[in-house]
Amino acid sequence: MEYKAIKLVKRPDIHITPDLFETVTLQTPDLQDGQFLLKQTHMSLDPAMKGWMMPDTESYIPPVGLGEVMRSSGVAEVVESRHEGFPVGSRVMGMIGWTEYALSSGEGLTVLPEGVPADAVLCVLALPGLTAYQGLMKMGNPRAGETLVVSGAAGSVGSMVGQIAKAEGLRVVGTAGTDEKCQWLKEELGFDEAINYKAPNLEEALATATPDGVDIYFENTGGPVQHATFNRMNTHGRILVCGMIADYNTATPSAGPSWLNIIRKRLTIQGFTMPDHWDKIPEMSQKMATYLMNGQIKYRAHTLHGLESAIEGINLLFTGGNTGKLMVEL
Ligand SMILES: NC(=O)c1ccc[n+]([C@@H]2O[C@H](COP(=O)([O-])OP(=O)(O)OC[C@H]3O[C@@H](n4cnc5c(N)ncnc54)[C@H](OP(=O)(O)O)[C@@H]3O)[C@@H](O)[C@H]2O)c1
């Protein structure tokens, strides 16, 4: 049977452009013992993919090789199997790539419970929820009554961070790039305040929204929100550095704030990436599933259709055009 896959054939200069990719038609392979064939149904698009396309060998994960199928996570169904642990009909999540079908021996795949919709998996139980849980709960040491600011709040990770923090009794302030996103954060997700960081007077709006200062800053973007929030940090505040998307498509990263405040306020600043924490996936997925079942977590997916929609669609992440977790339904 023929299927399509998309290979990375060129590295980005600054922006992700269609000429970086080549769509190829392949033939599904014959299975050996211990192998099975996956049909991918939903493919996740994430800002980190920009980094994976770059030649940087010093990063937390090796770059995608030129000529290789582009790396991504996704949800797939087993459609043929010679592996007892993965019978036909079982559903899995894992790194599957920009492809309609993939051969697997099961390495790195997690079998999904029956009945959980694919968008709930990619929004809550997979990378966004795990990242939010790891950063906030395992590293942020949150305490009820504290104030948390999260940037990129209407995005996949940010919306999970804010809702976990609300469930844990914190005051939650989010920043996002449109009034519609801010309205969703307050009215649908129950954030205490949401600020459009593109509107004038960001510093003033943040000060009004955080009358008791900021105890935890969950950083997804960098940019002006970083400076404004850094200046509002309380003594012994914690900053979790998850992402810096404002710097992903620029030739020169923006200047960070002066370190003086780190000493004055005895701040803890912690960067993290999820590949260091894959061993905790079952435990953290279970925690996220519990919030979901308790009605404490809502999610929204921004779904594109067809494998090749990924090529242009990934840029929605960098323009703010995605409203919810960006994914492709195949
Ligand atoms: N450390 C880890 O292991 C890990 C894991 C997952 C994700 N991340 C990071 O977490 C961050 C959020 O990822 P996500 O998957 O949740 O994406 P997302 O928030 O669903 O989508 C990206 C959003 O970033 C915002 N954005 C884009 N350019 C911006 C800019 N110049 N300044 C401020 N905001 C900008 C846009 O929202 P607005 O409309 O609000 O601008 C856009 O919708 C990214 O930095 C990502 O790299 C890190």
Side-chain angles (χ1 to χ4, degrees):
M1 187 179 19
E2 284 189 345
Y3 69 98
K4 281 184 183 165
I6 299 176
K7 295 184 172 181
L8 181 74
V9 293
K10 201 174 150 194
R11 304 217 176 269
D13 184 10
I14 293 188
H15 294 282
I16 299 174
T17 45
D19 60 319
L20 308 186
F21 306 102
E22 185 190 346
T23 305
V24 291
T25 302
L26 302 169
Q27 205 68 34
T28 52
D30 293 331
L31 302 185
Q32 308 290 318
D33 281 343
Q35 293 184 328
F36 52 94
L37 185 67
L38 290 172
K39 182 180 193 303
Q40 187 162 221
T41 61
H42 293 77
M43 191 169 96
S44 176
L45 296 180
D46 298 281
M49 289 174 173
K50 171 75 190 297
W52 302 344
M53 293 175 199
M54 303 301 281
D56 182 5
T57 52
E58 296 287 304
S59 194
Y60 63 97
I61 190 169
V64 177
L66 290 182
E68 287 178 7
V69 171
M70 182 57 208
R71 181 188 298 146
S72 60
S73 62
V75 171
E77 193 180 324
V78 178
V79 289
E80 281 177 39
S81 182
R82 290 180 64 178
H83 190 308
E84 280 185 3
F86 294 87
V88 169
S90 42
R91 286 163 74 236
V92 298
M93 71 173 179
M95 302 307 280
I96 297 165
W98 286 15
T99 182
E100 292 170 337
Y101 285 83
L103 186 69
S104 177
S105 57
E107 198 188 329
L109 294 180
T110 304
V111 178
L112 293 168
E114 274 178 36
V116 186
D119 55 356
V121 172
L122 290 185
C123 291
V124 184
L125 306 183
L127 189 70
L130 300 175
T131 306
Y133 194 87
Q134 171 64 35
L136 180 61
M137 299 303 288
K138 300 267 186 194
M139 294 171 156
N141 192 22
R143 292 182 281 267
E146 289 189 323
T147 297
L148 169 128
V149 171
V150 53
S151 58
S156 325
V157 175
S159 61
M160 293 296 130
V161 170
Q163 292 182 90
I164 296 171
K166 279 307 297 176
E168 299 295 330
L170 281 79
R171 174 177 173 77
V172 174
V173 177
T175 61
T178 67
D179 290 344
E180 184 277 332
K181 289 182 180 181
C182 289
Q183 195 178 353
W184 179 67
L185 290 173
K186 283 189 75 170
E187 292 178 7
E188 289 289 322
L189 303 194
F191 279 42
D192 295 286
E193 293 296 340
I195 298 168
N196 182 341
Y197 69 89
K198 293 178 182 166
N201 306 322
L202 170 62
E203 303 237 350
E204 203 180 307
L206 194 74
T208 307
T210 59
D212 299 325
V214 178
D215 301 294
I216 302 180
Y217 176 39
F218 196 106
E219 173 66 290
N220 282 316
T221 66
V225 180
Q226 182 183 80
H227 287 255
T229 310
F230 189 72
N231 293 332
R232 302 259 335 132
M233 293 305 295
N234 289 332
T235 301
H236 297 301
R238 286 86 72 201
I239 300 179
L240 292 320
V241 187
C242 173
M244 290 284 293
I245 197 166
D247 282 346
Y248 294 175
N249 277 356
T250 56
T252 320
S254 56
S258 160
W259 284 15
L260 199 58
N261 225 19
I262 302 176
I263 309 165
R264 285 176 60 239
K265 299 290 177 63
R266 286 87 82 203
L267 302 178
T268 302
I269 303 179
Q270 174 76 58
F272 71 101
T273 62
M274 287 313 290
D276 288 346
H277 307 286
W278 286 154
D279 57 315
K280 288 180 246 151
I281 288 180
E283 174 208 337
M284 295 199 293
S285 276
Q286 186 53 52
K287 299 272 188 199
M288 292 307 297
T290 305
Y291 287 123
L292 189 62
M293 285 184 306
N294 290 345
Q296 291 168 303
I297 296 270
K298 293 181 186 170
Y299 61 88
R300 68 177 178 183
H302 185 133
T303 307
L304 307 175
H305 298 276
L307 182 72
E308 284 168 289
S309 65
I311 293 174
E312 302 263 6
I314 190 169
N315 280 311
L316 291 170
L317 295 167
F318 304 102
T319 60
N322 64 309
T323 47
K325 169 79 197 94
L326 192 61
M327 62 182 73
V328 176
E329 189 172 354
L330 299 174

